[in-house]
Amino acid sequence: MRFLGVTETCDLAALYLRLQAAGHEVRVAIAEEKARGTLAGLVAHSPDWRRELDWIRAAGPDGIILFEAVSDGLGALQDSLRAEGFNVVGGSAFGDRLENDRAFAQQLLADLGLAVAGTWEFSSVAHADAFIAARPGRYVLKFSGPGFASSDNHVGTWPDGADIRAILAARAPGIGEGTRFILMDRIDGLEMGVGAYFDGRDFLRPACLDWEHKRFFTGNLGELTGEMGTVATFDRSDRFFERTLARVAPLLRDHGHVGYVNLNTIVNEAGIWPLEFTCRFGYPGYAVLDPLQATKWAELLAMMTKARAADFRTHPGFSVGVVLTTPPFPYSRKEIDAPVGLPVFLPDDLTPEDRRHIHFGEIGSAGGRLVTSGLYGWTMVVTGTAPTIEQARDEAYRRVRRIDIPDMRYRLDIGEALIAGEHRGTPGASWRSACAKWL
């Protein structure tokens, strides 16, 4: 088969390498200049993905285009390519809006009968400040649109909203005219996601459940990042999926969406509270799921282009993924001039099973050596799988400790809170009991 990756920063590096190692032809086109060192010397690069369309077309049903991002009209572009007969996996214009237009997504979820937190949209800092002054409370601040990073969002803690008011005031000079953002009532509970692959007609089954660790430092301290690690499983997901993400299927079908869709939620005794969508392959989510998927990537991607909803093969148990980063993460080389080309040392005696659990991110090859690359410092994801979270976590960290990269950082506590039965400051409440009525 032939695969063409159309990407801004090459987040799916490990997926392209898996496809190539399985004997498929792979080319990637990376739009961001500072990211073009990723997969250099490892996978063929193309300066313009449009030049490769004839190459993909010549493969017929065995040619697939993979899109990674939800920005700059890429969803609408994918829709038009599908109309021309290309097999495209990634998203859609509708998926872009679900992810980027937060107020729209919350209203859609409410219309589908899901319980949603109070949500208010603003395009004026002054109006938002006046709103909090008149309605004091704890709020979550989130910006709409593709131009904002996870670190731009803030989870309020002060009961009168004074912290969010102060953050808005501090950021006001940099918030452009017409920038849209929402204030959402903060809801306490267990943060939990549900995701599945959509084939243009329906979701492939099974769905996955995931528990992300978004803050930079151990103990949930520091900046909100894209993600520092995740616990995931395909087990016992049916009931939760049917109560949540499955309800969106008719809308995705109407808009021809093809790709992965994840719905992040807060779960507590009162219900399931959806927070936001990811309508594309998530990083590092796709890498965390990789070792749990018995169906190979090429077959799975082909299934998504055929619109014949079916089950794919998975392994039981849990996967724990740990993200290894290097500077300038959690920022980018557009803001911080950090070294690139740091050597990546992997032990020579890694077993095939160990190598299966190492998922390269922003890594290339130079002078015959693996080196760091890219815009952010998302260097790699290391996973472990086992029947229990604790065993999977131990396997992941055993592999992490054998990798050496200068200035490497990672969290030491991925999965610990789930194992200990603590979430959102509620000691002793196990994640299973918190979710029991919804699983």
Side-chain angles (χ1 to χ4, degrees), residues 303-366:
M303 289 172 68
M304 277 187 268
T305 67
K306 291 180 170 36
R308 299 172 189 164
D311 293 349
F312 61 99
R313 301 183 307 280
T314 61
H315 298 296
F318 293 88
S319 176
V320 172
V322 181
V323 177
L324 311 188
T325 73
T326 51
F329 186 88
Y331 303 100
S332 82
R333 288 188 168 86
K334 292 182 178 180
E335 294 103 17
I336 298 173
D337 184 19
V340 71
L342 302 174
V344 177
F345 295 100
L346 302 177
D348 294 333
D349 61 346
L350 286 175
T351 67
E353 179 67 6
D354 285 334
R355 293 185 181 278
R356 190 172 73 89
H357 285 278
I358 295 175
H359 315 269
F360 288 173
E362 291 182 318
I363 286 179
S365 177

Short mmCIF file of all heavy atoms in Angstrom, two decimals, residues 303-366:
data_model
loop_
_atom_site.label_atom_id
_atom_site.label_comp_id
_atom_site.label_asym_id
_atom_site.label_seq_id
_atom_site.Cartn_x
_atom_site.Cartn_y
_atom_site.Cartn_z
N MET A 303 -9.63 -0.10 6.63
CA MET A 303 -11.00 -0.30 7.11
C MET A 303 -11.74 1.03 7.21
O MET A 303 -12.93 1.12 6.91
CB MET A 303 -10.98 -0.98 8.48
CG MET A 303 -10.55 -2.43 8.47
SD MET A 303 -10.33 -3.11 10.14
CE MET A 303 -12.03 -3.12 10.73
N MET A 304 -11.03 2.09 7.60
CA MET A 304 -11.66 3.40 7.75
C MET A 304 -12.07 4.01 6.42
O MET A 304 -12.94 4.87 6.36
CB MET A 304 -10.73 4.35 8.50
CG MET A 304 -10.78 4.20 10.00
SD MET A 304 -9.81 5.48 10.84
CE MET A 304 -8.26 4.65 11.00
N THR A 305 -11.45 3.58 5.33
CA THR A 305 -11.78 4.16 4.02
C THR A 305 -12.89 3.40 3.31
O THR A 305 -13.36 3.85 2.27
CB THR A 305 -10.54 4.19 3.11
OG1 THR A 305 -10.15 2.84 2.78
CG2 THR A 305 -9.39 4.91 3.78
N LYS A 306 -13.33 2.27 3.85
CA LYS A 306 -14.28 1.42 3.15
C LYS A 306 -15.73 1.62 3.58
O LYS A 306 -16.64 1.08 2.96
CB LYS A 306 -13.89 -0.05 3.31
CG LYS A 306 -12.60 -0.43 2.58
CD LYS A 306 -12.27 -1.89 2.77
CE LYS A 306 -11.14 -2.38 1.89
NZ LYS A 306 -10.06 -1.45 1.64
N ALA A 307 -15.96 2.37 4.65
CA ALA A 307 -17.33 2.62 5.14
C ALA A 307 -18.11 1.33 5.32
O ALA A 307 -19.26 1.21 4.93
CB ALA A 307 -18.08 3.57 4.19
N ARG A 308 -17.46 0.35 5.91
CA ARG A 308 -18.12 -0.91 6.25
C ARG A 308 -17.87 -1.17 7.72
O ARG A 308 -16.96 -1.93 8.07
CB ARG A 308 -17.57 -2.07 5.41
CG ARG A 308 -17.77 -1.89 3.91
CD ARG A 308 -17.03 -2.98 3.16
NE ARG A 308 -17.03 -2.73 1.73
CZ ARG A 308 -16.20 -3.34 0.88
NH1 ARG A 308 -15.32 -4.20 1.32
NH2 ARG A 308 -16.25 -3.05 -0.42
N ALA A 309 -18.64 -0.52 8.55
CA ALA A 309 -18.38 -0.55 10.00
C ALA A 309 -18.17 -1.98 10.48
O ALA A 309 -18.94 -2.88 10.16
CB ALA A 309 -19.54 0.09 10.74
N ALA A 310 -17.10 -2.18 11.22
CA ALA A 310 -16.75 -3.52 11.67
C ALA A 310 -15.93 -3.43 12.94
O ALA A 310 -15.51 -2.35 13.36
CB ALA A 310 -15.96 -4.24 10.58
N ASP A 311 -15.71 -4.59 13.54
CA ASP A 311 -14.83 -4.65 14.70
C ASP A 311 -13.40 -4.87 14.23
O ASP A 311 -13.17 -5.49 13.18
CB ASP A 311 -15.23 -5.81 15.61
CG ASP A 311 -16.59 -5.60 16.25
OD1 ASP A 311 -17.11 -4.47 16.16
OD2 ASP A 311 -17.12 -6.56 16.84
N PHE A 312 -12.44 -4.35 14.96
CA PHE A 312 -11.05 -4.68 14.70
C PHE A 312 -10.50 -5.39 15.94
O PHE A 312 -11.13 -5.40 17.00
CB PHE A 312 -10.22 -3.44 14.33
CG PHE A 312 -10.16 -2.39 15.40
CD1 PHE A 312 -9.07 -2.28 16.24
CD2 PHE A 312 -11.20 -1.47 15.55
CE1 PHE A 312 -9.01 -1.31 17.22
CE2 PHE A 312 -11.14 -0.49 16.53
CZ PHE A 312 -10.05 -0.40 17.36
N ARG A 313 -9.36 -6.00 15.79
CA ARG A 313 -8.82 -6.88 16.83
C ARG A 313 -7.99 -6.07 17.82
O ARG A 313 -7.16 -5.25 17.42
CB ARG A 313 -7.97 -7.99 16.21
CG ARG A 313 -8.74 -8.86 15.23
CD ARG A 313 -7.89 -10.00 14.68
NE ARG A 313 -6.64 -9.55 14.10
CZ ARG A 313 -6.51 -9.03 12.90
NH1 ARG A 313 -7.58 -8.86 12.13
NH2 ARG A 313 -5.32 -8.67 12.43
N THR A 314 -8.20 -6.33 19.10
CA THR A 314 -7.45 -5.64 20.15
C THR A 314 -6.97 -6.65 21.18
O THR A 314 -7.47 -7.77 21.26
CB THR A 314 -8.31 -4.57 20.85
OG1 THR A 314 -9.44 -5.22 21.47
CG2 THR A 314 -8.80 -3.52 19.87
N HIS A 315 -6.00 -6.20 21.97
CA HIS A 315 -5.51 -7.00 23.09
C HIS A 315 -6.18 -6.53 24.37
O HIS A 315 -6.47 -5.33 24.54
CB HIS A 315 -4.00 -6.85 23.24
CG HIS A 315 -3.22 -7.32 22.04
ND1 HIS A 315 -3.21 -8.63 21.64
CD2 HIS A 315 -2.43 -6.64 21.16
CE1 HIS A 315 -2.45 -8.76 20.57
NE2 HIS A 315 -1.96 -7.57 20.27
N PRO A 316 -6.43 -7.42 25.32
CA PRO A 316 -7.02 -7.00 26.60
C PRO A 316 -5.99 -6.30 27.47
O PRO A 316 -4.78 -6.33 27.20
CB PRO A 316 -7.45 -8.34 27.22
CG PRO A 316 -6.47 -9.34 26.65
CD PRO A 316 -6.20 -8.87 25.24
N GLY A 317 -6.47 -5.66 28.52
CA GLY A 317 -5.58 -5.03 29.49
C GLY A 317 -5.39 -3.55 29.24
O GLY A 317 -6.16 -2.90 28.52
N PHE A 318 -4.34 -3.01 29.85
CA PHE A 318 -4.08 -1.57 29.84
C PHE A 318 -2.77 -1.26 29.14
O PHE A 318 -1.83 -2.06 29.15
CB PHE A 318 -4.01 -1.03 31.27
CG PHE A 318 -5.31 -1.08 32.01
CD1 PHE A 318 -5.68 -2.21 32.73
CD2 PHE A 318 -6.18 0.00 31.98
CE1 PHE A 318 -6.89 -2.27 33.40
CE2 PHE A 318 -7.40 -0.04 32.66
CZ PHE A 318 -7.75 -1.18 33.36
N SER A 319 -2.73 -0.08 28.54
CA SER A 319 -1.48 0.49 28.04
C SER A 319 -1.20 1.76 28.83
O SER A 319 -2.10 2.59 29.02
CB SER A 319 -1.58 0.81 26.55
OG SER A 319 -0.40 1.43 26.09
N VAL A 320 0.02 1.91 29.29
CA VAL A 320 0.47 3.14 29.95
C VAL A 320 1.55 3.76 29.09
O VAL A 320 2.55 3.09 28.76
CB VAL A 320 0.98 2.88 31.37
CG1 VAL A 320 1.62 4.12 31.96
CG2 VAL A 320 -0.16 2.39 32.27
N GLY A 321 1.35 5.01 28.69
CA GLY A 321 2.33 5.71 27.87
C GLY A 321 2.95 6.87 28.61
O GLY A 321 2.25 7.63 29.28
N VAL A 322 4.28 7.00 28.49
CA VAL A 322 5.03 8.09 29.12
C VAL A 322 5.67 8.90 28.01
O VAL A 322 6.38 8.35 27.15
CB VAL A 322 6.11 7.55 30.07
CG1 VAL A 322 6.86 8.70 30.73
CG2 VAL A 322 5.51 6.62 31.12
N VAL A 323 5.43 10.22 28.00
CA VAL A 323 6.00 11.10 26.98
C VAL A 323 7.36 11.59 27.45
O VAL A 323 7.49 12.15 28.55
CB VAL A 323 5.07 12.29 26.71
CG1 VAL A 323 5.71 13.25 25.69
CG2 VAL A 323 3.71 11.81 26.20
N LEU A 324 8.38 11.39 26.63
CA LEU A 324 9.72 11.90 26.90
C LEU A 324 9.92 13.16 26.08
O LEU A 324 9.76 13.15 24.86
CB LEU A 324 10.79 10.87 26.53
CG LEU A 324 10.59 9.43 27.04
CD1 LEU A 324 11.85 8.60 26.74
CD2 LEU A 324 10.28 9.40 28.52
N THR A 325 10.27 14.26 26.73
CA THR A 325 10.41 15.54 26.05
C THR A 325 11.81 16.10 26.24
O THR A 325 12.54 15.72 27.16
CB THR A 325 9.39 16.57 26.55
OG1 THR A 325 9.77 17.02 27.86
CG2 THR A 325 7.98 15.99 26.60
N THR A 326 12.16 17.02 25.34
CA THR A 326 13.40 17.79 25.46
C THR A 326 13.04 19.26 25.22
O THR A 326 12.00 19.57 24.63
CB THR A 326 14.45 17.31 24.44
OG1 THR A 326 13.86 17.27 23.13
CG2 THR A 326 14.96 15.93 24.79
N PRO A 327 13.89 20.20 25.66
CA PRO A 327 13.62 21.62 25.41
C PRO A 327 13.47 21.88 23.92
O PRO A 327 14.11 21.21 23.10
CB PRO A 327 14.87 22.31 25.97
CG PRO A 327 15.41 21.36 26.99
CD PRO A 327 15.13 19.99 26.44
N PRO A 328 12.56 22.80 23.53
CA PRO A 328 11.90 23.83 24.34
C PRO A 328 10.54 23.44 24.92
O PRO A 328 9.84 24.29 25.44
CB PRO A 328 11.70 24.95 23.32
CG PRO A 328 11.42 24.23 22.05
CD PRO A 328 12.32 23.01 22.08
N PHE A 329 10.14 22.16 24.78
CA PHE A 329 8.85 21.75 25.32
C PHE A 329 8.70 22.23 26.77
O PHE A 329 9.65 22.14 27.54
CB PHE A 329 8.74 20.23 25.25
CG PHE A 329 7.41 19.70 25.64
CD1 PHE A 329 6.40 19.57 24.70
CD2 PHE A 329 7.14 19.36 26.95
CE1 PHE A 329 5.16 19.09 25.06
CE2 PHE A 329 5.90 18.89 27.32
CZ PHE A 329 4.90 18.76 26.38
N PRO A 330 7.52 22.73 27.16
CA PRO A 330 6.23 22.72 26.47
C PRO A 330 5.97 23.91 25.55
O PRO A 330 4.82 24.16 25.19
CB PRO A 330 5.23 22.72 27.63
CG PRO A 330 5.90 23.55 28.68
CD PRO A 330 7.37 23.23 28.55
N TYR A 331 7.02 24.64 25.19
CA TYR A 331 6.87 25.74 24.24
C TYR A 331 7.45 25.30 22.90
O TYR A 331 7.68 24.10 22.68
CB TYR A 331 7.54 26.99 24.81
CG TYR A 331 6.98 27.35 26.16
CD1 TYR A 331 7.65 27.02 27.34
CD2 TYR A 331 5.73 27.96 26.26
CE1 TYR A 331 7.11 27.30 28.58
CE2 TYR A 331 5.18 28.24 27.51
CZ TYR A 331 5.87 27.91 28.66
OH TYR A 331 5.32 28.17 29.88
N SER A 332 7.68 26.20 21.99
CA SER A 332 8.18 25.82 20.68
C SER A 332 9.44 26.60 20.34
O SER A 332 9.78 27.59 21.01
CB SER A 332 7.11 26.07 19.60
OG SER A 332 7.09 27.42 19.21
N ARG A 333 10.11 26.19 19.29
CA ARG A 333 11.32 26.88 18.86
C ARG A 333 11.00 28.22 18.19
O ARG A 333 11.92 28.95 17.84
CB ARG A 333 12.13 25.98 17.93
CG ARG A 333 12.80 24.85 18.69
CD ARG A 333 13.78 24.04 17.87
NE ARG A 333 14.55 23.17 18.74
CZ ARG A 333 14.17 21.96 19.15
NH1 ARG A 333 13.01 21.47 18.72
NH2 ARG A 333 14.92 21.25 19.95
N LYS A 334 9.73 28.53 18.01
CA LYS A 334 9.36 29.86 17.56
C LYS A 334 9.48 30.86 18.70
O LYS A 334 9.69 32.05 18.46
CB LYS A 334 7.93 29.86 17.01
CG LYS A 334 7.78 29.07 15.73
CD LYS A 334 6.35 29.14 15.20
CE LYS A 334 6.21 28.38 13.90
NZ LYS A 334 4.84 28.43 13.36
N GLU A 335 9.33 30.38 19.94
CA GLU A 335 9.45 31.26 21.11
C GLU A 335 10.81 31.14 21.80
O GLU A 335 11.31 32.11 22.38
CB GLU A 335 8.36 30.95 22.15
CG GLU A 335 6.94 31.25 21.70
CD GLU A 335 6.17 30.00 21.31
OE1 GLU A 335 6.60 28.89 21.67
OE2 GLU A 335 5.16 30.13 20.63
N ILE A 336 11.40 29.94 21.77
CA ILE A 336 12.61 29.68 22.54
C ILE A 336 13.64 29.01 21.63
O ILE A 336 13.34 28.02 20.96
CB ILE A 336 12.31 28.76 23.74
CG1 ILE A 336 11.33 29.45 24.69
CG2 ILE A 336 13.60 28.39 24.48
CD1 ILE A 336 10.84 28.57 25.81
N ASP A 337 14.85 29.54 21.63
CA ASP A 337 15.93 29.00 20.81
C ASP A 337 16.62 27.88 21.58
O ASP A 337 17.59 28.11 22.30
CB ASP A 337 16.93 30.10 20.44
CG ASP A 337 18.01 29.60 19.50
OD1 ASP A 337 17.80 28.55 18.87
OD2 ASP A 337 19.07 30.25 19.41
N ALA A 338 16.10 26.66 21.44
CA ALA A 338 16.66 25.51 22.14
C ALA A 338 17.45 24.64 21.16
O ALA A 338 17.17 24.63 19.96
CB ALA A 338 15.54 24.70 22.77
N PRO A 339 18.44 23.92 21.66
CA PRO A 339 19.25 23.08 20.77
C PRO A 339 18.42 22.02 20.06
O PRO A 339 17.44 21.50 20.60
CB PRO A 339 20.26 22.42 21.72
CG PRO A 339 20.26 23.25 22.95
CD PRO A 339 18.89 23.84 23.06
N VAL A 340 18.82 21.69 18.84
CA VAL A 340 18.22 20.61 18.09
C VAL A 340 19.35 19.68 17.68
O VAL A 340 20.52 20.08 17.65
CB VAL A 340 17.45 21.14 16.86
CG1 VAL A 340 18.41 21.67 15.81
CG2 VAL A 340 16.53 20.09 16.28
N GLY A 341 19.04 18.41 17.41
CA GLY A 341 20.08 17.48 17.01
C GLY A 341 20.78 16.81 18.18
O GLY A 341 21.90 16.32 18.04
N LEU A 342 20.13 16.77 19.36
CA LEU A 342 20.71 16.06 20.50
C LEU A 342 20.72 14.56 20.23
O LEU A 342 19.77 14.03 19.64
CB LEU A 342 19.90 16.34 21.77
CG LEU A 342 19.76 17.80 22.20
CD1 LEU A 342 18.81 17.91 23.38
CD2 LEU A 342 21.12 18.39 22.54
N PRO A 343 21.75 13.84 20.63
CA PRO A 343 21.81 12.40 20.34
C PRO A 343 20.78 11.63 21.15
O PRO A 343 20.51 11.93 22.32
CB PRO A 343 23.23 12.02 20.76
CG PRO A 343 23.62 13.04 21.77
CD PRO A 343 22.95 14.32 21.34
N VAL A 344 20.20 10.62 20.51
CA VAL A 344 19.23 9.73 21.15
C VAL A 344 19.89 8.36 21.30
O VAL A 344 20.23 7.71 20.30
CB VAL A 344 17.94 9.61 20.31
CG1 VAL A 344 16.98 8.62 20.95
CG2 VAL A 344 17.28 10.98 20.16
N PHE A 345 20.08 7.92 22.54
CA PHE A 345 20.77 6.66 22.80
C PHE A 345 19.77 5.59 23.23
O PHE A 345 19.09 5.73 24.24
CB PHE A 345 21.83 6.83 23.90
CG PHE A 345 22.96 7.75 23.52
CD1 PHE A 345 22.97 9.07 23.95
CD2 PHE A 345 24.00 7.29 22.73
CE1 PHE A 345 24.01 9.92 23.60
CE2 PHE A 345 25.04 8.14 22.37
CZ PHE A 345 25.05 9.45 22.81
N LEU A 346 19.71 4.53 22.45
CA LEU A 346 18.91 3.36 22.79
C LEU A 346 19.86 2.19 23.01
O LEU A 346 20.83 2.02 22.26
CB LEU A 346 17.93 3.01 21.67
CG LEU A 346 16.93 4.08 21.25
CD1 LEU A 346 16.08 3.58 20.08
CD2 LEU A 346 16.03 4.47 22.41
N PRO A 347 19.63 1.37 24.03
CA PRO A 347 20.54 0.26 24.28
C PRO A 347 20.54 -0.75 23.13
O PRO A 347 19.52 -0.96 22.48
CB PRO A 347 20.00 -0.36 25.57
CG PRO A 347 18.62 0.17 25.73
CD PRO A 347 18.55 1.47 25.03
N ASP A 348 21.68 -1.35 22.88
CA ASP A 348 21.81 -2.29 21.78
C ASP A 348 21.05 -3.58 22.01
O ASP A 348 20.71 -4.29 21.05
CB ASP A 348 23.30 -2.63 21.56
CG ASP A 348 24.09 -1.43 21.07
OD1 ASP A 348 23.49 -0.55 20.44
OD2 ASP A 348 25.32 -1.39 21.35
N ASP A 349 20.78 -3.92 23.25
CA ASP A 349 20.17 -5.22 23.55
C ASP A 349 18.65 -5.14 23.75
O ASP A 349 18.06 -6.02 24.38
CB ASP A 349 20.83 -5.84 24.78
CG ASP A 349 20.65 -4.99 26.03
OD1 ASP A 349 20.26 -3.81 25.91
OD2 ASP A 349 20.92 -5.50 27.14
N LEU A 350 18.02 -4.09 23.22
CA LEU A 350 16.56 -4.03 23.30
C LEU A 350 15.95 -5.22 22.58
O LEU A 350 16.36 -5.57 21.47
CB LEU A 350 16.04 -2.74 22.65
CG LEU A 350 16.24 -1.43 23.41
CD1 LEU A 350 15.76 -0.26 22.56
CD2 LEU A 350 15.50 -1.44 24.74
N THR A 351 14.96 -5.83 23.20
CA THR A 351 14.27 -6.95 22.57
C THR A 351 13.27 -6.42 21.54
O THR A 351 12.89 -5.23 21.57
CB THR A 351 13.51 -7.77 23.62
OG1 THR A 351 12.43 -6.96 24.14
CG2 THR A 351 14.42 -8.20 24.75
N PRO A 352 12.81 -7.27 20.61
CA PRO A 352 11.75 -6.83 19.69
C PRO A 352 10.52 -6.30 20.41
O PRO A 352 9.89 -5.36 19.95
CB PRO A 352 11.44 -8.10 18.89
CG PRO A 352 12.73 -8.88 18.92
CD PRO A 352 13.31 -8.62 20.27
N GLU A 353 10.20 -6.89 21.55
CA GLU A 353 9.04 -6.41 22.32
C GLU A 353 9.30 -5.02 22.88
O GLU A 353 8.42 -4.16 22.87
CB GLU A 353 8.73 -7.39 23.46
CG GLU A 353 7.56 -6.98 24.35
CD GLU A 353 6.21 -7.00 23.64
OE1 GLU A 353 6.14 -7.44 22.47
OE2 GLU A 353 5.22 -6.56 24.27
N ASP A 354 10.52 -4.77 23.37
CA ASP A 354 10.86 -3.44 23.85
C ASP A 354 10.75 -2.42 22.71
O ASP A 354 10.21 -1.32 22.90
CB ASP A 354 12.28 -3.42 24.41
CG ASP A 354 12.39 -4.08 25.77
OD1 ASP A 354 11.38 -4.12 26.50
OD2 ASP A 354 13.48 -4.57 26.10
N ARG A 355 11.26 -2.76 21.56
CA ARG A 355 11.23 -1.83 20.41
C ARG A 355 9.80 -1.54 19.98
O ARG A 355 9.50 -0.44 19.52
CB ARG A 355 12.05 -2.39 19.25
CG ARG A 355 13.55 -2.44 19.56
CD ARG A 355 14.38 -2.88 18.37
NE ARG A 355 15.79 -2.93 18.71
CZ ARG A 355 16.59 -1.87 18.73
NH1 ARG A 355 16.12 -0.68 18.39
NH2 ARG A 355 17.87 -1.99 19.06
N ARG A 356 8.92 -2.51 20.13
CA ARG A 356 7.51 -2.30 19.78
C ARG A 356 6.86 -1.24 20.67
O ARG A 356 5.86 -0.62 20.28
CB ARG A 356 6.76 -3.63 19.91
CG ARG A 356 5.34 -3.64 19.36
CD ARG A 356 4.77 -5.05 19.36
NE ARG A 356 4.44 -5.50 20.69
CZ ARG A 356 3.25 -5.31 21.27
NH1 ARG A 356 2.29 -4.65 20.63
NH2 ARG A 356 3.01 -5.77 22.47
N HIS A 357 7.44 -1.03 21.84
CA HIS A 357 6.87 -0.08 22.80
C HIS A 357 7.58 1.27 22.79
O HIS A 357 7.29 2.11 23.63
CB HIS A 357 6.91 -0.68 24.21
CG HIS A 357 5.87 -1.74 24.43
ND1 HIS A 357 4.56 -1.43 24.76
CD2 HIS A 357 5.93 -3.09 24.35
CE1 HIS A 357 3.87 -2.54 24.90
NE2 HIS A 357 4.67 -3.57 24.66
N ILE A 358 8.50 1.48 21.85
CA ILE A 358 9.17 2.78 21.71
C ILE A 358 8.64 3.44 20.45
O ILE A 358 8.77 2.91 19.35
CB ILE A 358 10.69 2.60 21.64
CG1 ILE A 358 11.20 2.04 22.98
CG2 ILE A 358 11.38 3.92 21.32
CD1 ILE A 358 12.68 1.71 22.98
N HIS A 359 8.01 4.59 20.62
CA HIS A 359 7.31 5.28 19.52
C HIS A 359 7.99 6.63 19.29
O HIS A 359 7.83 7.56 20.09
CB HIS A 359 5.83 5.47 19.89
CG HIS A 359 5.20 4.23 20.47
ND1 HIS A 359 4.56 3.30 19.71
CD2 HIS A 359 5.13 3.80 21.76
CE1 HIS A 359 4.11 2.32 20.50
NE2 HIS A 359 4.45 2.61 21.75
N PHE A 360 8.75 6.73 18.22
CA PHE A 360 9.47 7.97 17.93
C PHE A 360 8.50 9.11 17.66
O PHE A 360 7.49 8.95 16.97
CB PHE A 360 10.38 7.79 16.73
CG PHE A 360 11.59 6.94 16.97
CD1 PHE A 360 12.42 6.58 15.92
CD2 PHE A 360 11.91 6.50 18.25
CE1 PHE A 360 13.54 5.79 16.14
CE2 PHE A 360 13.02 5.71 18.48
CZ PHE A 360 13.84 5.36 17.43
N GLY A 361 8.85 10.29 18.18
CA GLY A 361 8.11 11.51 17.88
C GLY A 361 8.98 12.39 17.01
O GLY A 361 9.24 12.09 15.84
N GLU A 362 9.48 13.49 17.58
CA GLU A 362 10.32 14.42 16.81
C GLU A 362 11.77 13.92 16.85
O GLU A 362 12.60 14.39 17.62
CB GLU A 362 10.19 15.83 17.38
CG GLU A 362 8.80 16.41 17.13
CD GLU A 362 8.65 17.82 17.63
OE1 GLU A 362 9.14 18.11 18.75
OE2 GLU A 362 8.06 18.64 16.92
N ILE A 363 12.03 12.96 15.99
CA ILE A 363 13.35 12.33 15.89
C ILE A 363 13.69 12.17 14.41
O ILE A 363 12.83 11.83 13.59
CB ILE A 363 13.37 10.97 16.60
CG1 ILE A 363 13.38 11.16 18.12
CG2 ILE A 363 14.57 10.12 16.17
CD1 ILE A 363 13.38 9.89 18.92
N GLY A 364 14.95 12.43 14.06
CA GLY A 364 15.44 12.20 12.72
C GLY A 364 16.76 11.45 12.78
O GLY A 364 17.17 10.96 13.84
N SER A 365 17.43 11.37 11.65
CA SER A 365 18.72 10.71 11.58
C SER A 365 19.73 11.66 10.95
O SER A 365 19.46 12.29 9.94
CB SER A 365 18.62 9.43 10.75
OG SER A 365 19.88 8.80 10.62
N ALA A 366 20.92 11.74 11.58
CA ALA A 366 21.99 12.58 11.05
C ALA A 366 23.32 11.92 11.36
O ALA A 366 23.56 11.52 12.51
CB ALA A 366 21.94 13.98 11.66
#
